[in-house]
Amino acid sequence: LMFACLCLHFGLLLATNSILLGFSLYSHLREFGDAADPGIRFAISGLVFTFMLKIVLLYAVSHAAEFTARLEVQARYGRCHASAVQSLLGLMCDVVVDMNQALRIKHHVPKLVGMLMLGAGRSLQGERLEDFMLDGDDAEGFRETLGRCREVGGEGVRDTPTPSLSTVRLRDRVGNVLKVEVY
């Protein structure tokens, strides 16, 4: 809708400027007479140059606004897509943990805090999930699982269509061992 309004706005400005140019040319010719006069030709060329400059500026502004609108739509789509994936995972899994590329937990996950019996006031944001694993073998298996799920491309890390499954053991606050499937 925003793009359509911008296109309409650009078209209206173009039409308005065309009419104003024509009216200005007609007024100058009517007032000063002969178009062969160098002063009249200079005035007309100035009007045409101003008109062309307005067209270029209007196009640049319209193009910049269109580009901004497209970026905003793409950002909204990305947020909606991520939200839908999180909701779907929330239905299928007991705990969903969002991690950054350094494998640190991005946001506070109350369900994980409860599962590990860490206390309601504890936040795991910025911590590594590997720090709660039983031993190095589980951490290595976890990294291998993530390695199978990720590929490094020119634009960074992206998910492949085939997820991997791994079972790792976590240790809660009192020392109980929890077997957890990681996708």
Side-chain angles (χ1 to χ4, degrees):
L1 180 63
M2 185 176 171
F3 176 65
C5 291
L6 288 173
C7 288
L8 179 63
H9 181 69
F10 178 73
L12 289 174
L13 286 175
L14 180 64
T16 304
N17 280 319
S18 299
I19 291 169
L20 288 175
L21 175 66
F23 182 72
S24 296
L25 288 174
Y26 175 75
S27 296
H28 275 82
L29 286 176
R30 198 162 173 230
E31 184 177 333
F32 297 110
D34 187 17
D37 182 16
I40 296 295
R41 278 192 272 157
F42 180 74
I44 290 173
S45 64
L47 288 172
V48 170
F49 176 75
T50 304
F51 173 74
M52 297 304 282
L53 186 61
K54 284 181 182 179
I55 296 300
V56 168
L57 289 174
L58 285 173
Y59 176 77
V61 168
S62 174
H63 185 69
E66 175 189 347
F67 181 74
T68 303
R70 286 181 192 266
L71 286 178
E72 185 177 328
V73 167
Q74 288 174 349
R76 283 184 186 171
Y77 172 76
R79 285 191 302 267
C80 290
H81 179 71
S83 176
V85 168
Q86 285 287 347
S87 296
L88 186 59
L89 285 172
L91 292 172
M92 295 171 33
C93 303
D94 294 325
V95 177
V96 178
V97 178
D98 191 15
M99 295 185 299
N100 61 19
Q101 289 182 347
L103 300 180
R104 295 199 176 272
I105 299 171
K106 281 185 174 180
H107 310 286
H108 174 61
V109 186
K111 287 183 177 181
L112 182 60
V113 171
M115 187 174 85
L116 296 174
M117 295 191 287
L118 297 173
R122 174 93 184 262
S123 174
L124 297 179
Q125 183 175 356
E127 295 196 35
R128 296 174 359 157
L129 188 61
E130 295 176 37
D131 294 340
F132 299 98
M133 293 184 185
L134 187 61
D135 56 28
D137 292 337
D138 288 304
E140 184 62 33
F142 176 68
R143 283 191 296 273
E144 285 178 18
T145 299
L146 290 178
R148 288 191 303 266
C149 292
R150 300 176 350 174
E151 65 179 312
V152 177
E155 301 169 7
V157 178
R158 2 171 237 234
D159 294 329
T160 60
T162 55
S164 293
L165 171 68
S166 175
T167 302
V168 295
R169 296 170 296 167
L170 301 177
R171 184 179 301 275
D172 68 8
R173 184 176 58 116
V174 293
N176 295 323
V177 176
L178 306 169
K179 286 188 178 180
V180 179
E181 292 180 347
V182 178
Y183 298 94

